[in-house]
Amino acid sequence: MNDEIIVAIATSRLEAAISIIRLSGKGSIAFVQKFFTGKILDKDSHTITYGYIVDGNEKIDEVLVNIYRGHKTFTGEEMVEINCHGGVFITQKVLQLCLNHGARIAERGEFSKRAFLNGRIDLSQAEAISDLISAKNDYASQLALKGIQGNISHFIEDLREDLIQIITQIEVNIDYPEYDDVEELTADSLLPRSHSLKDKMNKIIESSKNVHLLKDGISTVIIGKPNVGKSSLLNALLNEDKAIVTDIAGTTRDIVEGTIRLDQIILNMIDTAGIRETEDIVENIGVHKSKELINKADLVLLVIDNSKELTKEDEYLMELSKNTHRIIVLNKNDQGSVNDIDGVFISAKDNDIDSLIEKIKEMFELGQITSEQDDILANARQIQLLEKSKYSLEVAIEAMENGLPTDLIVTDLYESWENLKEILGERAKEDLLDELFKRFCIGK
C-alpha cells in the first residue's frame, strides 16, 4: 500500500490566499518533478523551491514546493506539499494533474494512518490529531494536544511496566520454584502490587469518563410540567426563539434541541415535552422520550413555576430526577415566590437567568481535569480497553487470594497486558484501523 503515491487538498476547499496539495509515498519528489519547473531532485529535506506547475507547455500556477525526505516525515515516507494560489479552480486543476500522472486520491485520514503504520505515531496519537481538528473549546484542544505529545502513551507504558514486574515475578517463580514460597510471594509482593495497579487503573477510568464533557459538551435536559417556562428558558439560553412559547399546556410535543457555550463549557440543550398524564397519542410519545432522556443526561434542569404552589406533578418530577445531576430552576420569579425550595431563582421571560448560568459554571468547573490530571484517556475505545485490562487483573487478583496455581494467574495477567497494548494500537486489526481513520478529514 505504501508504494502508492496518495494526494489530497490539505486546506479548505473554499477560496483563500493559499491552498496546499499534499502528496506522500515512495518517489513522491521525483513524481512532482515531472510537472514542476523548479529543481527538487537533489534538494535537501525540509526545503522550499519556487517554480511553476506545468501541463506540457501550459503553465498552470506559480507555486512553492516543500519536500520532505527520509523516515522522519509525518507519514514516515517521502512527502511533498505544493503551495498553490488559493482559487478553487486552480487548486482542483493542480490536483487533477497529479491524478493524471498516476497519484491516487487519499482516503480519509490516510496520511495519519500511514504515520501509524510506519511507526511515526501510535494509535492514541493518531486519534488525538483528529480530536484536535474537531476540538470545540480550550479543554478539548488541550487534551488533544497532550495526546499528540504522547501523554497517553507515557502513562499506558507506566501501567505496562507495573504489570510486567508482576508477571516477571510469577514467571521466575514458575521456572525456579525453589527460590520463593508461593503463598509468601503472593501475600508479601504480588497482591500489594496488583491492588496498587488496579487502583491506578480505576483512577484513570473515572477521570476519563468525564472526557466527553470536555470534548463534546454537557448533555442537558430541561424538564418540568407543562407551561412552567421550559421553552422560554431554552430560548433565553439560546438567545433565539427556537422553541414555541404559548400559554397552552402541551405545546412542546417533541424534543427541541440547541447548543450554547458558557465560556469554555458547552451545553447540548434539550427541551422536552411536559411530563404529565395525557390521552393525546403524539404528546404521550414525547412524554415517554422525556423520561428516557432524564436518565441519560449529564445535567437535568427541573423547571418549577415558583409563583404557584407545588403540584403533584412537580413533586413527581422532583422524585423522578432526585438521583440525577440536577438543578432546580425556580422560574417566574418576577411574579413572586411562594415555595421554600433550595434552587436557583430566574425569570426566563425577562431573560433574567444569570444565577442559573453561574450555578452551571460552578457545577462543571472542568478545567481542573486538564490542568491537574494528566492521566486521561481520550475516547470510549481507549476507556473500554482499559476496563477490560482492569477486569483481567481483577480475575488474577481473585485467583491469587484463592491460592490458585501461579501458571493460571499469569494467563489473566497476560490478557490484561494485551488490552493495554491495544490502546496504543500494537495489535489493532485492519478493519478497526479502517473504521477509525475514516472519521478523519481528507488530507490529514
Side-chain angles (χ1 to χ4, degrees):
M1 181 189 75
N2 285 11
D3 286 343
E4 292 182 291
I5 295 175
I6 57 172
V7 61
I9 301 170
T11 46
S12 170
R13 272 54 172 181
L14 303 175
E15 287 190 2
I18 294 173
S19 62
I20 297 174
I21 295 175
R22 177 175 293 155
L23 301 98
S24 184
K26 185 178 180 180
S28 294
I29 296 173
F31 175 83
V32 173
Q33 185 68 87
K34 296 175 184 178
F35 49 88
F36 177 54
T37 61
K39 304 303 180 185
I40 55 175
L41 285 178
D42 299 324
K43 287 285 185 71
D44 292 334
S45 181
H46 294 72
T47 56
I48 302 174
T49 304
Y50 166 82
Y52 289 88
I53 296 295
V54 295
D55 186 4
N57 295 324
E58 179 189 359
K59 290 182 178 178
I60 303 299
D61 192 18
E62 182 183 31
V63 300
L64 294 173
V65 170
N66 303 23
I67 65 168
Y68 307 93
R69 299 182 183 274
H71 300 293
K72 291 190 176 181
T73 65
F74 173 68
T75 59
E77 57 195 21
E78 230 176 52
M79 291 184 65
V80 178
E81 289 183 341
I82 304 172
N83 299 268
C84 308
H85 288 94
V88 175
F89 173 76
I90 289 297
T91 303
Q92 289 292 340
K93 195 165 185 180
V94 175
L95 175 65
Q96 187 60 51
L97 187 61
C98 294
L99 298 177
N100 292 344
H101 278 270
R104 171 176 65 77
I105 282 284
E107 298 172 358
R108 283 180 170 271
E110 190 169 0
F111 291 93
S112 297
K113 183 177 180 180
R114 288 192 175 197
F116 167 70
L117 293 174
N118 290 327
R120 291 291 293 138
I121 56 176
D122 63 44
L123 195 54
S124 71
Q125 290 173 297
E127 289 173 314
I129 292 169
S130 179
D131 289 343
L132 186 61
I133 293 169
S134 61
K136 298 177 182 177
N137 53 31
D138 285 344
Y139 297 150
S141 64
Q142 289 170 15
L143 185 65
L145 191 57
K146 286 184 178 183
I148 292 173
Q149 293 169 339
N151 185 67
I152 293 174
S153 314
H154 294 153
F155 72 74
I156 292 298
E157 287 295 343
D158 289 342
L159 294 180
R160 287 168 60 170
E161 179 60 29
D162 289 345
L163 187 56
I164 201 64
Q165 291 288 344
I166 298 169
I167 292 172
T168 301
Q169 272 195 289
I170 294 177
E171 292 284 21
V172 168
N173 183 266
I174 292 173
D175 293 336
Y176 304 99
E178 66 274 14
Y179 288 135
D180 289 294
D181 178 81
V182 174
E183 291 184 5
E184 191 174 313
L185 174 67
T186 301
D188 293 346
S189 180
L190 296 182
L191 271 174
R193 283 192 176 190
S194 300
H195 278 295
S196 176
L197 177 56
K198 186 184 80 169
D199 291 342
K200 285 183 183 179
M201 290 180 175
N202 268 329
K203 186 177 180 182
I204 292 169
I205 290 168
E206 290 307 309
S207 297
S208 300
K209 284 183 177 178
N210 284 327
V211 77
H212 76 282
L213 303 180
L214 305 177
K215 293 170 58 181
D216 304 320
I218 299 162
S219 175
T220 306
V221 174
I222 305 175
I223 65 170
K225 68 181 184 182
N227 205 29
V228 293
K230 300 186 305 301
S231 297
S232 296
L233 173 58
L234 177 64
N235 290 338
L237 286 165
L238 294 172
N239 199 25
E240 60 179 280
D241 292 332
K242 191 159 188 172
I244 302 171
V245 180
T246 74
D247 293 328
I248 304 170
T251 302
T252 305
R253 294 189 173 194
D254 209 340
I255 308 303
V256 182
E257 301 182 18
T259 298
I260 66 170
R261 186 186 303 274
L262 306 178
D263 293 336
Q264 292 299 323
I265 298 175
I266 296 173
L267 298 183
N268 298 318
M269 305 294 302
I270 303 173
D271 178 19
T272 64
I275 298 178
R276 64 169 186 161
E277 294 295 327
T278 176
E279 295 181 2
D280 187 302
I281 296 175
V282 176
E283 187 181 349
N284 200 41
I285 293 171
V287 171
H288 179 70
K289 288 182 181 178
S290 299
K291 291 179 179 179
E292 287 183 342
L293 287 167
I294 290 173
N295 294 323
K296 296 178 181 178
D298 303 311
L299 173 63
V300 174
L301 301 180
L302 170 56
V303 184
I304 290 174
D305 181 352
N306 202 40
S307 67
K308 299 177 181 177
E309 297 287 345
L310 291 180
T311 65
K312 289 184 178 180
E313 291 170 300
D314 292 319
E315 292 172 350
Y316 169 71
L317 289 173
M318 291 180 72
E319 179 67 22
L320 187 66
S321 62
K322 69 177 181 179
N323 294 322
T324 66
H325 208 185
R326 178 186 72 184
I327 298 175
I328 296 177
V329 182
L330 302 170
N331 191 27
K332 304 188 181 182
N333 197 42
D334 56 305
Q335 299 178 26
S337 177
V338 300
N339 296 302
D340 184 18
I341 305 174
D342 184 17
V344 177
F345 296 90
I346 69 162
S347 175
K349 183 184 70 172
D350 299 329
N351 287 324
D352 180 12
I353 58 172
D354 289 348
S355 58
L356 173 60
I357 291 174
E358 289 306 311
K359 180 65 175 178
I360 294 171
K361 289 180 181 178
E362 178 187 321
M363 288 179 69
F364 292 92
E365 186 50 59
L366 301 175
Q368 299 302 315
I369 296 175
T370 53
S371 61
E372 296 179 6
Q373 170 62 274
D374 286 331
D375 297 352
I376 297 178
L377 297 169
N379 55 47
R381 182 193 72 86
Q382 296 171 5
I383 294 171
Q384 183 183 46
L385 286 168
L386 186 56
E387 286 180 325
K388 288 173 68 176
S389 179
K390 188 192 75 166
Y391 173 77
S392 296
L393 176 61
E394 288 172 337
V395 173
I397 289 173
E398 185 177 355
M400 293 179 200
E401 291 173 338
N402 292 331
L404 295 183
T406 49
D407 55 340
L408 296 179
I409 296 171
V410 81
T411 300
D412 292 307
L413 294 176
Y414 274 124
E415 183 61 31
S416 180
W417 167 269
E418 289 297 318
N419 284 304
L420 290 179
K421 286 174 62 178
E422 195 165 339
I423 292 174
L424 304 182
E426 293 183 16
R427 64 168 194 168
K429 298 177 181 177
E430 185 65 24
D431 56 348
L432 168 65
L433 297 179
D434 288 342
E435 183 60 34
L436 287 172
F437 286 104
K438 279 178 183 176
R439 303 181 186 189
F440 284 51
C441 53
I442 295 172
K444 194 62 184 173

